[in-house]
Each structure stands twice: as structure tokens, then as C-alpha cells.
Amino acid sequence: MTDRKIEEVQKQLDEESTWRKKEITYLFNEANTKYKRNNKRNKEDTSSFFIRTSIVSICGHWEGFVKKSALLYLKAVASEELSYKELALSFSGAFLKINQLGNKRNKKTKFYADLVYKLENETFNISITNSDFIIDTESNLKYIILEDILFIINIPTIEYETKRTMIDDKLLKYRNKIAHGERDSVSFEEYKELKNGILELIEILKTDILNNLILKKYLR
């Protein structure tokens, strides 16, 4: 992959992450101002509105960034016009995932023979029609779903594993309660931890994707 292609992906990743981080940070600053003001005046904490709004926003931006950045990576690899035989096995897995959808009851041997033929002879491609099937966050990006997406784009899960509890037991738990109209309280310190954790993960994912392209880890 040429340096120019990698630079273009980096530019797109930077643009995609920048506006998301700005929105997350803006809501955090608003909540922080309210929180400090109320503490100083010894009044009832009125930062809860911004915290609850921010939790939903953080979750949406994290899910959106994972999907968008993974697709940018796959499209960059697809532009190389490499065969499945040249690519990491995760690409073959994605191919089978797409082609098996709607064909789970297909008992024709020819159907499976055709899949093998395509894996041996066709080049990897990604289009608007199948991108949602390859990178599917299921509108609820639990760690197990993130893990599958990371496998598809050939990224080790070690650093992400440390955030598993934060993602499943805190971020998603609170987001789902808030989204379903429950008045669940989140402490400012816990909210701050979630905000910092997701911003860190966004940067880690950006770095991992670029490193994969630079080091050609998409190859078998």
C-alpha cells in the first residue's frame, strides 16, 4: 500500500475522530462546570442532565467510530485488489459470513463448492450493499461484538480487553437504562472515567488501524 493511500486513511480517521471528540468534550465541560459550581455553593447537583446526555452521546460516538474506522480500513485493503489467498484469514471469514446470510438451510453441495472457488480465485471487495453485514455493531456494541470486529480487521484484543468491564458493565449498562427512560444516577467521577476511557480507545483504534496498513498486517 502506498504512503499516499495510508496518508489519506489517516486524514479520514483524524476527521472522523476529531468531531466526535469535540462533541464528547463539549458535553463534559458543561457537566464539569455545573458540577464544580454546585459543589462550591453547596447546592443540589444539577450536572446529572449533562452526564446522562453525555453517556448516550459517548456510546453513540464510540459505536460510530468503530464502524466507520473499520470500514475505512477494509476499503483501503480492497483498493489493493488482492485475492483472498493473499489476505489474512479474517477476510475469508468475512466473505463466508456475507455469503452464508440467507443461505443457512442451503444443502446443495454446489453452493459450497462455488464459495470455495470464489475464495480461491476472486479478489476481496467491499460495497455499500454488504458493508453493514461485515461490520455490524448490532446497535449495541458489547465487547463480544467489538472483539469480532477487531478480528475481522486483524487487530489484537489485548489493550481492548482491559476496557471490557467499562464497556459492558458501565457504559452500555447506563446507556441502555437512560435510553429506556430510567432515571439512573451516574457519579461525576464515574462519568469522567467513561469519557476518558472511550477517548483513549478511539486513539488506540486509530493507531492500530494505521499500523496494520503500514506493516501490511492485512496480508496472510
Side-chain angles (χ1 to χ4, degrees), residues 101-112:
L101 289 171
N103 291 291
K104 293 179 180 179
R105 296 182 181 178
N106 197 317
K107 296 181 180 180
K108 299 291 185 181
T109 305
K110 185 178 183 303
F111 170 76
Y112 297 98

Side-chain angles (χ1 to χ4, degrees), residues 48-63:
S48 60
F49 167 77
F50 291 100
I51 291 176
R52 289 160 59 81
T53 303
S54 294
I55 295 293
V56 176
S57 177
I58 289 170
C59 205
H61 280 308
W62 167 234
E63 185 174 317

Side-chain angles (χ1 to χ4, degrees), residues 85-142:
K85 290 187 290 185
E86 297 173 276
L87 293 169
L89 286 173
S90 57
F91 289 89
S92 295
F95 170 84
L96 292 173
K97 180 180 178 181
I98 295 167
N99 286 278
Q100 282 286 69
L101 289 171
N103 291 291
K104 293 179 180 179
R105 296 182 181 178
N106 197 317
K107 296 181 180 180
K108 299 291 185 181
T109 305
K110 185 178 183 303
F111 170 76
Y112 297 98
D114 287 342
L115 291 183
V116 174
Y117 177 84
K118 289 178 181 179
L119 282 174
E120 290 183 346
N121 295 279
E122 292 189 358
T123 58
F124 170 71
N125 190 21
I126 184 170
S127 65
I128 294 174
T129 55
N130 63 30
S131 62
D132 284 341
F133 292 128
I134 298 178
I135 306 298
D136 185 7
T137 61
E138 299 183 23
S139 299
N140 193 27
L141 190 56
K142 295 179 287 189

